[in-house]
Amino acid sequence: MKHSEILEQAAKFAKSVHAGDASGHDWPHIERVVRMARTIGAAEQADSFICELAALLHDVADEKLNPSKAIGLAKVQGWLDSQPIDAAVKDEVVEIIATMSYSGGAEGMRTLEGRVVRDADRLDAIGAIAIARTFVYAGWKGHPIHDPELPPREFMTKEQYRSGKTTAINHFYEKLLKLKGLLHTETARAIAEERHKFMESYLLQFHNEWNGAL
Ligand code: ADP
Ligand code: NI
């Protein structure tokens, strides 16, 4: 089977997993990450097949969409095993997906392809679309837009932290504004600049309006 056919099958599989998602992990998110992974991968001279395959499958195992990360990863592994793909390629794709998440942190991603796909995913959480995804996610979780009494997690009292409550606006300070500094490639860092500034000016305007600016 040609690489292009395997990618077509992977797209079909990922589309079936993400169709109808209302948590910000919908199929258009996957499409954007694939497109961005192509752009970054070409600039960084990464293996295009591995980048695209990993980008297509990167959120199939997401903990938020599965009973556990292990169950999610088994789903990815099961699909890969059903395809005529080199064992070494399968192993790399599984490794990338297992290491992808933010909670996987700022720690190293072993392969260039992993760094490319992780950067592509992180770029989709920086900028105008990221703002939309954040509010969609907060709505999905039942979190309010904003609460000046509830600071970002690192500034919460123990009681506030234990309550598990947070807001959409907190997410910018807890994660989104930090992503620019966690990118691996120069290509992604350059793309992040404008998007990051846009989020900063959005937040400024948000707080101005919240505080009654006319
Ligand atoms: P991905 O799995 O695509 O790497 P995440 O699952 O961390 O990214 O987040 C997906 C999207 O959901 C992001 O754009 C992020 O803004 C949003 N999101 C994740 N956690 C929260 C949260 N606690 N509050 C608001 N938005 C969130
Ligand atoms: Ni993602």
Side-chain angles (χ1 to χ4, degrees), residues 25 29-30 33 58-59 100 121 133:
H25 298 84
H29 163 65
I30 309 302
V33 174
H58 85 274
D59 269 338
M100 275 287 290
D121 190 35
R133 292 180 76 209

Side-chain angles (χ1 to χ4, degrees), residues 33-136:
V33 174
V34 167
R35 205 181 322 127
M36 189 59 86
R38 276 193 206 125
T39 304
I40 302 172
E44 303 285 332
Q45 297 178 347
D47 181 287
S48 63
F49 178 60
I50 294 178
C51 285
E52 187 148 345
L53 189 55
L56 280 166
L57 301 175
H58 85 274
D59 269 338
V60 169
D62 193 287
E63 276 171 284
K64 294 185 208 69
L65 312 179
N66 288 283
S68 72
K69 189 159 178 173
I71 292 174
L73 283 173
K75 202 152 99 188
V76 174
Q77 188 73 60
W79 184 83
L80 287 168
D81 289 342
S82 76
Q83 300 292 316
I85 304 173
D86 284 352
V89 170
K90 280 199 267 191
D91 288 351
E92 184 176 343
V93 169
V94 170
E95 179 186 333
I96 291 171
I97 295 170
T99 324
M100 275 287 290
S101 70
Y102 180 73
S103 44
E107 102 238 354
M109 179 65 102
R110 193 180 60 83
T111 62
L112 173 62
E113 289 72 25
R115 294 192 287 275
V116 166
V117 178
R118 199 196 232 171
D119 277 3
D121 190 35
R122 284 180 169 165
L123 280 172
D124 209 48
I126 309 173
I129 291 175
I131 294 172
R133 292 180 76 209
T134 299
F135 289 106
V136 161

